[in-house]
Amino acid sequence: MEKVATRAAFGEALVEMGAKYKNIVALDADLSCSTKTAKFGAEFSDRFFNMGIAEANMIGVAAGMSLKGKIPFAATFAIFASGRAWEQIRNSVAYPNLNVKVVGSHGGIMTGEDGVTHQATEDLSIMRSIPNMKVFCPADYWECKRVVEFMCKDFGPTYLRLSRSGVPKIYDESYRFEPGKGHVVRDGNDMTIFAVGAMVNSALEAAERLSTEGVNVRVCNMCSIDPIDKDLILESAQKTPKLFTAEDHQIDGGLGSAVAEVLAEAGAGVPLKRIGMDGFGQSGKGAELYKRYGLDGEGVYEAVSKE
Amino acid sequence: MDISELKKKAAQLRIDALTAIHKANSGHTGGSMSCMDLLVALYYGGFMKIDSKRPHWDERDFFVLSKGHAAPAIYAILADLGFFDKSELDHLRQVGALLQGHPVVKIPGIEATTGSLGQGISVAVGLALACKLDREDRKVFTLLGDGELQEGQVWEAVMSASHYRLDNLIAFVDKNNLQIDGTCKSVMNVEPIADKFESFGWKVIPLVDGHDLEEITRAIEKAQKVQRQPVMILAPTVKGKGVEFAEGKVGYHGVALSQEEMSVAIPVLQEKTK
């Protein structure tokens, strides 16, 4: 199966949207070849601004440009976008509700060999806690393209998490993204796995294997972390007796917490097991790390089989 | 306005800002007083292309208060210019009020949400860059404190402004030499400020007295003519200026004047409005 990284989809989509929306500008912090904003820079050089290795200023400059009607996409690695510039995003962007799109590429341990300093595993948590912020983490090429299209039409601060390595295409061109809506990629009655990003593929692999054992798994793609699809979570809790979340992120604060909050507040009373990181990772190839930390299809299969 | 009118205006606006802070019993007295003359020269000296009836006028110039804690100073000015009703000053920092403790963009005339030091100048750079991109001849002014220069983000912003040759950006540094914990020199020395900005590619216009309205006015005129580089007007000021007993005192950084202090300070300023 053809694998494409969501960052590549983002790079393509940004160029397509750049032709359509003349007020899109892209800013990067010396990682434009990695985040793929370089494609936009090559096409629209006057609308591309390299801000150097200075993420705090990049976010502030993006805020200023949005105040003059631009749609700034400010991109860097997820760890620096969400971490280094968190307070700039909170105070200069989200509080005044500005139309700044923060793009964090290289999310999760899939980032690989660069190691823990470059693996954002807390970004979904700290971004979704900020009022006014929308948080999206697409699962594949087509979803990423649709999310970027939506972000251009939408108004308001948004965090887009991308991944470094290729992931199989789950969707095709006809896919429609709706914020606040999860997508049932595969249905089943025995258990539900809520997954996000590359983990949607791992969940699908686990579900496929479980189906050969007669276990029917519902896999929900929760690309829209904030707003989150409460209805789908509660409907799944009624439909299936076991619930799981799967994310390339700390199990605290991210998708797992978001789902747990919905279940607890509704008094759903259905057990939930969170699959993800519970500590720091290490260097290694992304796929090897997924295996090591139980985030690949096999790891998800084993985690859900235990319950 | 001529210089004598500017002086009277500055005295009146000091009264307005002090009164607002006093009513709130909370706010930054020292830093609001130290930058008042810079702001009066900018807003009443004919430099800002603005229209209080059209706060979002698409040909206006921008001002970003990077040292957001001097909010009462800019609020007093915007109220006086008619951006919002003067009665709003009576509710500064109160629940449900328009005027928040630090500036927010929803307030007519406020161009950026600031208060977290170091962030406003980046927003000003973004505005200036967007004006350049749109080939619009609009100025962006910003005002920083000298203590604020300790924030690393300031130097990221300063670097980017000269990299992109933002000659439409003019920054004031309100050098009152004091910050919350003491003198800037003792807390974390930021000198030599002018040399730092120059080495980062900025044109620096040093003032002798940051309260001399004539000198400030001349400096802004000069700054507007500079090409291909951003300009910093370095203004030595006195924290608490205009309130004699508070002048140069660290203790008046973030406190309101008491009723007793107001009764001493206000009549002195009222004399200066005449």
Side-chain angles (χ1 to χ4, degrees), chain B residues 35 44 50-51 59 88 120 128 140 143 145 158-159 179 224 230 234 246 268:
Chain B
C35 66
Y44 297 87
I50 45 172
D51 180 350
E59 289 177 27
E88 297 289 350
V140 181
L143 186 140
V158 166
M159 200 183 333
Q179 57 190 115
Q224 289 187 320
L234 182 57
V268 177

Side-chain angles (χ1 to χ4, degrees), chain A residues 77-84 105-106 116-122 159:
Chain A
F77 283 1
I79 187 74
F80 310 127
S82 69
R84 178 73 63 102
S105 173
H106 291 57
V116 174
T117 53
H118 288 56
Q119 296 165 350
T121 53
E122 304 79 11
Y159 176 70

Side-chain angles (χ1 to χ4, degrees), chain B residues 14-56:
Chain B
R14 280 191 163 89
I15 293 171
D16 295 349
L18 289 170
T19 306
I21 298 169
H22 172 70
K23 283 186 175 161
N25 193 23
S26 167
H28 295 82
T29 296
S32 297
M33 296 299 107
S34 65
C35 66
M36 187 61 93
D37 296 306
L38 299 169
L39 296 180
V40 166
L42 178 64
Y43 272 87
Y44 297 87
F47 299 109
M48 288 282 283
K49 199 161 69 172
I50 45 172
D51 180 350
S52 62
K53 296 293 163 277
R54 291 178 294 165
H56 296 285

Side-chain angles (χ1 to χ4, degrees), chain A residues 2-30:
Chain A
E2 188 194 2
K3 288 185 173 185
V4 190
T6 50
R7 62 181 170 131
F10 162 71
E12 283 178 29
L14 195 61
V15 171
E16 289 162 17
M17 293 298 100
K20 208 168 156 185
Y21 298 85
K22 301 294 177 202
N23 53 343
I24 289 178
V25 294
L27 299 92
D28 210 297
D30 193 39

Side-chain angles (χ1 to χ4, degrees), chain B:
Chain B
M1 273 189 194
D2 65 26
I3 300 299
S4 77
E5 283 173 314
L6 287 178
K7 282 182 184 168
K8 289 176 194 168
K9 182 60 83 178
Q12 182 57 50
L13 291 166
R14 280 191 163 89
I15 293 171
D16 295 349
L18 289 170
T19 306
I21 298 169
H22 172 70
K23 283 186 175 161
N25 193 23
S26 167
H28 295 82
T29 296
S32 297
M33 296 299 107
S34 65
C35 66
M36 187 61 93
D37 296 306
L38 299 169
L39 296 180
V40 166
L42 178 64
Y43 272 87
Y44 297 87
F47 299 109
M48 288 282 283
K49 199 161 69 172
I50 45 172
D51 180 350
S52 62
K53 296 293 163 277
R54 291 178 294 165
H56 296 285
W57 179 33
D58 62 11
E59 289 177 27
R60 74 191 186 282
D61 291 330
F62 297 96
F63 172 71
V64 175
L65 185 67
S66 198
K67 51 169 279 186
H69 54 281
I74 190 70
Y75 291 165
I77 288 170
L78 294 175
D80 182 64
L81 291 172
F83 277 88
F84 47 81
D85 196 274
K86 213 168 169 180
S87 65
E88 297 289 350
L89 293 173
D90 298 335
H91 308 292
L92 172 69
R93 288 184 168 234
Q94 290 167 21
V95 175
L98 173 69
L99 303 181
Q100 296 295 298
H102 291 85
V104 291
V105 286
K106 72 172 179 188
I107 299 170
I110 292 292
E111 301 287 4
T113 295
T114 56
S116 177
L117 295 177
Q119 298 193 18
I121 184 172
S122 293
V123 177
V125 169
L127 283 165
L129 206 47
C131 289
K132 286 277 180 196
L133 177 58
D134 292 337
R135 298 178 195 283
E136 291 173 5
D137 183 23
R138 296 162 71 179
K139 292 278 182 201
V140 181
F141 298 90
T142 185
L143 186 140
L144 301 110
D146 49 354
E148 182 178 11
L149 303 181
Q150 292 160 1
E151 282 285 359
Q153 183 174 350
V154 168
W155 301 102
E156 295 182 4
V158 166
M159 200 183 333
S160 65
S162 63
H163 179 84
Y164 284 106
R165 302 186 190 282
L166 300 179
D167 53 15
N168 54 345
L169 178 67
I170 296 171
F172 296 91
V173 171
D174 172 15
K175 191 176 112 56
N176 62 31
N177 299 318
L178 298 178
Q179 57 190 115
I180 297 177
D181 276 355
T183 62
C184 297
K185 202 176 173 185
S186 68
V187 174
M188 182 52 65
N189 188 19
V190 294
E191 295 283 4
I193 296 172
D195 291 354
K196 284 189 172 85
F197 273 78
E198 275 170 0
S199 70
F200 273 76
W202 285 53
K203 167 79 180 170
V204 175
I205 301 176
L207 302 182
V208 174
D209 178 0
H211 300 295
D212 181 336
L213 287 154
E214 197 171 349
E215 194 190 7
I216 302 165
T217 305
R218 279 199 311 267
I220 302 172
E221 278 168 8
K222 198 173 155 193
Q224 289 187 320
K225 291 181 190 133
V226 172
Q227 292 193 336
R228 295 182 66 76
Q229 65 184 145
V231 183
M232 188 270 273
I233 296 173
L234 182 57
T237 57
V238 174
K239 201 155 177 171
K241 179 72 178 180
V243 182
E244 207 174 319
F245 55 85
E247 287 185 0
K249 300 255 175 67
V250 168
Y252 285 91
H253 172 88
V255 293
L257 297 188
S258 67
Q259 190 60 51
E260 203 186 333
E261 289 171 323
M262 287 291 282
S263 66
V264 176
I266 300 300
V268 177
L269 287 165
Q270 269 166 348
E271 274 305 306
K272 294 180 184 167
T273 64
K274 288 170 191 167

